[in-house]
Amino acid sequence: MTAAEKLEVARALARMGVDVIEAGFPAASPDDLEAVRRIATEIGSPNDGSKAPIICGLARATKKDIDKAWEAVREAAKPRIHTFIATSSIHMKYKLKMDPEDVIQRVAEMVGYARSLCADVEFSPEDAGRSEPEFLYVVLSEAIKAGATTLNIPDTVGYTTPEEFFALIDGIIKNTPGMHEGITISVHCHDDLGLATANTLAGIRAGARQAEVTINGIGERAGNTSLEEVVMTL
Protein backbone atom coordinates (compact mmCIF):
# COMPACT_ATOMS: atom_id res chain seq x y z
CA MET A 1 0.00 0.00 0.00
CA THR A 2 1.11 3.57 -0.65
CA ALA A 3 1.46 6.03 2.22
CA ALA A 4 -1.73 7.77 1.08
CA GLU A 5 -3.65 4.48 1.06
CA LYS A 6 -2.36 3.58 4.53
CA LEU A 7 -3.43 6.99 5.81
CA GLU A 8 -6.94 6.49 4.42
CA VAL A 9 -7.23 3.09 6.11
CA ALA A 10 -5.87 4.48 9.38
CA ARG A 11 -8.50 7.25 9.36
CA ALA A 12 -11.23 4.63 8.95
CA LEU A 13 -9.79 2.50 11.77
CA ALA A 14 -9.66 5.53 14.06
CA ARG A 15 -13.30 6.36 13.26
CA MET A 16 -14.24 2.77 14.12
CA GLY A 17 -12.56 3.18 17.49
CA VAL A 18 -9.86 0.52 17.29
CA ASP A 19 -7.45 0.70 20.23
CA VAL A 20 -4.18 0.16 18.37
CA ILE A 21 -3.11 0.75 14.77
CA GLU A 22 0.03 -1.16 13.87
CA ALA A 23 0.81 1.08 10.94
CA GLY A 24 3.76 -0.65 9.32
CA PHE A 25 7.33 -1.90 9.44
CA PRO A 26 9.43 1.30 9.34
CA ALA A 27 12.76 -0.45 8.72
CA ALA A 28 11.39 -2.13 5.59
CA SER A 29 11.72 0.98 3.42
CA PRO A 30 11.84 4.79 3.59
CA ASP A 31 8.29 4.85 2.20
CA ASP A 32 6.97 2.64 4.99
CA LEU A 33 8.73 4.75 7.62
CA GLU A 34 7.16 7.88 6.15
CA ALA A 35 3.71 6.26 6.07
CA VAL A 36 3.93 5.28 9.74
CA ARG A 37 5.25 8.74 10.65
CA ARG A 38 2.34 10.43 8.87
CA ILE A 39 -0.18 8.18 10.62
CA ALA A 40 1.48 8.93 13.97
CA THR A 41 1.32 12.70 13.45
CA GLU A 42 -2.05 12.97 11.66
CA ILE A 43 -4.09 10.12 13.22
CA GLY A 44 -2.20 9.50 16.45
CA SER A 45 -2.21 13.14 17.56
CA PRO A 46 -5.70 14.50 16.81
CA ASN A 47 -6.24 18.23 17.26
CA ASP A 48 -9.98 17.98 17.82
CA GLY A 49 -9.81 16.35 21.25
CA SER A 50 -10.98 12.96 20.00
CA LYS A 51 -9.54 9.79 21.50
CA ALA A 52 -6.26 8.89 19.81
CA PRO A 53 -5.45 5.26 19.07
CA ILE A 54 -2.07 3.84 20.02
CA ILE A 55 0.17 4.01 16.93
CA CYS A 56 2.54 1.07 16.72
CA GLY A 57 5.59 0.34 14.57
CA LEU A 58 6.88 -3.19 13.97
CA ALA A 59 10.58 -4.03 14.39
CA ARG A 60 12.80 -7.08 14.37
CA ALA A 61 14.81 -7.51 17.57
CA THR A 62 17.69 -5.33 16.34
CA LYS A 63 18.70 -1.81 17.35
CA LYS A 64 18.49 -0.58 13.76
CA ASP A 65 14.88 -1.74 13.36
CA ILE A 66 13.86 -0.45 16.79
CA ASP A 67 15.44 2.95 16.09
CA LYS A 68 13.48 3.21 12.81
CA ALA A 69 10.24 2.22 14.54
CA TRP A 70 10.76 4.85 17.23
CA GLU A 71 11.59 7.50 14.64
CA ALA A 72 8.28 6.72 12.93
CA VAL A 73 5.94 6.61 15.94
CA ARG A 74 7.50 9.07 18.39
CA GLU A 75 5.20 11.99 17.42
CA ALA A 76 2.05 10.03 18.33
CA ALA A 77 0.27 10.87 21.57
CA LYS A 78 0.45 7.16 22.45
CA PRO A 79 3.38 5.50 20.62
CA ARG A 80 4.23 1.80 20.79
CA ILE A 81 7.16 -0.29 19.56
CA HIS A 82 6.41 -3.93 18.69
CA THR A 83 9.54 -6.07 18.43
CA PHE A 84 9.75 -9.77 17.58
CA ILE A 85 12.12 -12.71 17.21
CA ALA A 86 11.47 -16.34 16.30
CA THR A 87 11.28 -19.00 19.02
CA SER A 88 10.43 -22.24 17.22
CA SER A 89 13.23 -24.80 16.83
CA ILE A 90 12.94 -24.76 13.03
CA HIS A 91 13.12 -20.96 12.81
CA MET A 92 15.96 -20.61 15.32
CA LYS A 93 18.04 -23.25 13.54
CA TYR A 94 17.42 -22.45 9.89
CA LYS A 95 16.32 -18.81 9.76
CA LEU A 96 18.08 -17.12 12.66
CA LYS A 97 20.96 -19.61 12.97
CA MET A 98 20.93 -18.87 16.70
CA ASP A 99 21.01 -21.06 19.80
CA PRO A 100 18.02 -20.83 22.17
CA GLU A 101 20.23 -19.21 24.83
CA ASP A 102 21.24 -16.49 22.36
CA VAL A 103 17.59 -15.82 21.52
CA ILE A 104 16.77 -15.39 25.22
CA GLN A 105 19.65 -12.92 25.59
CA ARG A 106 18.57 -11.00 22.47
CA VAL A 107 15.02 -10.70 23.80
CA ALA A 108 16.25 -9.27 27.12
CA GLU A 109 18.57 -6.80 25.40
CA MET A 110 16.29 -5.60 22.61
CA VAL A 111 13.06 -5.37 24.62
CA GLY A 112 15.06 -3.43 27.19
CA TYR A 113 16.42 -1.16 24.47
CA ALA A 114 12.93 -0.52 23.06
CA ARG A 115 11.68 0.22 26.58
CA SER A 116 14.45 2.81 27.03
CA LEU A 117 12.96 4.71 24.09
CA CYS A 118 9.23 4.09 24.49
CA ALA A 119 7.03 3.44 27.53
CA ASP A 120 4.76 1.05 25.60
CA VAL A 121 6.52 -2.07 24.25
CA GLU A 122 4.97 -5.16 22.71
CA PHE A 123 6.92 -8.39 22.19
CA SER A 124 6.15 -11.35 19.93
CA PRO A 125 7.80 -14.78 19.88
CA GLU A 126 7.49 -15.43 16.13
CA ASP A 127 6.16 -18.91 15.21
CA ALA A 128 4.89 -19.40 18.76
CA GLY A 129 2.41 -21.97 17.45
CA ARG A 130 5.31 -24.34 16.71
CA SER A 131 7.48 -23.37 19.69
CA GLU A 132 8.07 -25.51 22.78
CA PRO A 133 5.74 -24.10 25.46
CA GLU A 134 8.36 -24.35 28.21
CA PHE A 135 10.78 -22.31 26.10
CA LEU A 136 8.07 -19.74 25.45
CA TYR A 137 7.52 -19.31 29.19
CA VAL A 138 11.22 -18.48 29.65
CA VAL A 139 11.36 -16.09 26.68
CA LEU A 140 8.17 -14.28 27.66
CA SER A 141 9.36 -13.98 31.26
CA GLU A 142 12.54 -12.26 30.00
CA ALA A 143 10.42 -9.89 27.90
CA ILE A 144 8.34 -8.97 30.97
CA LYS A 145 11.48 -8.35 33.05
CA ALA A 146 12.86 -6.13 30.27
CA GLY A 147 9.71 -3.99 30.22
CA ALA A 148 7.24 -5.42 27.69
CA THR A 149 3.62 -4.96 28.77
CA THR A 150 1.93 -6.62 25.78
CA LEU A 151 2.90 -10.19 24.89
CA ASN A 152 1.63 -11.15 21.46
CA ILE A 153 1.39 -14.84 20.62
CA PRO A 154 1.47 -15.45 16.84
CA ASP A 155 0.41 -18.56 14.97
CA THR A 156 2.76 -17.38 12.24
CA VAL A 157 2.24 -20.18 9.72
CA GLY A 158 -1.44 -20.88 10.48
CA TYR A 159 -0.49 -24.20 12.07
CA THR A 160 -2.70 -24.70 15.11
CA THR A 161 -6.28 -25.80 15.71
CA PRO A 162 -8.53 -23.91 18.16
CA GLU A 163 -8.06 -26.52 20.90
CA GLU A 164 -4.28 -26.31 20.56
CA PHE A 165 -4.27 -22.52 20.50
CA PHE A 166 -6.53 -22.31 23.58
CA ALA A 167 -4.12 -24.61 25.43
CA LEU A 168 -1.12 -22.55 24.31
CA ILE A 169 -2.59 -19.24 25.56
CA ASP A 170 -3.94 -20.82 28.75
CA GLY A 171 -0.53 -22.35 29.47
CA ILE A 172 1.28 -19.06 28.88
CA ILE A 173 -1.01 -17.17 31.26
CA LYS A 174 -0.68 -19.82 33.98
CA ASN A 175 3.01 -20.71 33.66
CA THR A 176 4.99 -17.63 32.60
CA PRO A 177 7.08 -16.31 35.53
CA GLY A 178 6.33 -12.65 36.24
CA MET A 179 2.89 -12.69 34.62
CA HIS A 180 0.62 -10.16 36.34
CA GLU A 181 -2.50 -8.09 35.74
CA GLY A 182 -0.57 -5.30 34.03
CA ILE A 183 0.45 -7.63 31.19
CA THR A 184 -1.86 -7.89 28.17
CA ILE A 185 -1.82 -11.16 26.25
CA SER A 186 -2.44 -10.69 22.54
CA VAL A 187 -3.12 -13.16 19.71
CA HIS A 188 -2.10 -12.95 16.05
CA CYS A 189 -3.37 -15.71 13.77
CA HIS A 190 -2.95 -16.62 10.12
CA ASP A 191 -5.55 -18.32 7.93
CA ASP A 192 -3.54 -21.03 6.14
CA LEU A 193 -5.95 -23.72 7.39
CA GLY A 194 -9.00 -21.43 7.43
CA LEU A 195 -8.91 -21.26 11.24
CA ALA A 196 -7.63 -17.73 11.93
CA THR A 197 -10.90 -16.40 13.36
CA ALA A 198 -11.62 -19.61 15.28
CA ASN A 199 -8.12 -19.60 16.77
CA THR A 200 -8.37 -15.92 17.70
CA LEU A 201 -11.67 -16.53 19.49
CA ALA A 202 -10.15 -19.53 21.29
CA GLY A 203 -7.28 -17.31 22.43
CA ILE A 204 -9.73 -14.70 23.73
CA ARG A 205 -11.63 -17.41 25.61
CA ALA A 206 -8.33 -18.49 27.17
CA GLY A 207 -7.66 -14.96 28.44
CA ALA A 208 -6.15 -12.89 25.62
CA ARG A 209 -7.26 -9.24 25.73
CA GLN A 210 -5.84 -8.01 22.42
CA ALA A 211 -6.57 -9.53 19.02
CA GLU A 212 -4.41 -8.54 16.07
CA VAL A 213 -6.62 -8.45 12.97
CA THR A 214 -6.77 -6.95 9.47
CA ILE A 215 -9.57 -5.48 7.37
CA ASN A 216 -11.13 -8.27 5.28
CA GLY A 217 -8.45 -10.61 6.63
CA ILE A 218 -5.95 -9.25 4.06
CA GLY A 219 -2.45 -10.55 4.76
CA GLU A 220 0.39 -12.70 3.52
CA ARG A 221 -0.35 -16.14 2.01
CA ALA A 222 -3.96 -17.02 2.96
CA GLY A 223 -4.39 -13.90 5.07
CA ASN A 224 -4.72 -12.87 8.72
CA THR A 225 -7.63 -12.91 11.12
CA SER A 226 -10.49 -10.78 9.80
CA LEU A 227 -11.36 -7.71 11.89
CA GLU A 228 -15.04 -7.78 10.97
CA GLU A 229 -15.47 -11.52 11.60
CA VAL A 230 -14.03 -11.20 15.10
CA VAL A 231 -16.02 -8.05 15.91
CA MET A 232 -19.33 -9.53 14.79
CA THR A 233 -18.70 -12.89 16.46
CA LEU A 234 -17.89 -11.19 19.76
Side-chain angles (χ1 to χ4, degrees), residues 23-138:
F25 195 166
S29 71
D31 285 347
D32 217 36
L33 190 153
E34 178 60 16
V36 178
R37 191 194 64 77
R38 286 184 62 190
I39 291 168
T41 55
E42 297 181 37
I43 311 299
S45 301
N47 297 320
D48 59 3
S50 59
K51 179 188 171 189
I54 293 166
I55 306 298
C56 178
L58 186 64
R60 290 166 296 197
T62 67
K63 280 192 172 183
K64 179 185 173 186
D65 274 31
I66 290 167
D67 285 340
K68 293 285 189 185
W70 179 235
E71 180 184 346
V73 302
R74 64 190 303 167
E75 298 302 324
K78 293 184 282 188
R80 174 182 290 185
I81 296 172
H82 179 184
T83 188
F84 68 94
I85 193 169
T87 53
S88 65
S89 297
I90 190 169
H91 275 204
M92 288 189 290
K93 181 175 181 180
Y94 293 107
K95 185 169 82 165
L96 299 179
K97 297 178 172 56
M98 292 173 70
D99 294 327
E101 294 76 17
D102 295 328
V103 169
I104 292 169
Q105 184 177 354
R106 178 75 68 83
V107 169
E109 290 175 354
M110 290 300 107
V111 171
Y113 180 64
R115 185 65 177 77
S116 75
L117 301 173
C118 184
D120 186 353
V121 176
E122 178 173 345
F123 170 72
S124 288
E126 186 184 7
D127 204 22
R130 295 191 295 180
S131 298
E132 294 295 331
E134 290 73 18
F135 183 61
L136 280 180
Y137 306 153
V138 174

Side-chain angles (χ1 to χ4, degrees), residues 201-216:
L201 294 168
I204 291 169
R205 282 202 307 276
R209 288 297 172 264
Q210 174 177 292
E212 302 203 343
V213 296
T214 67
I215 293 173
N216 295 332

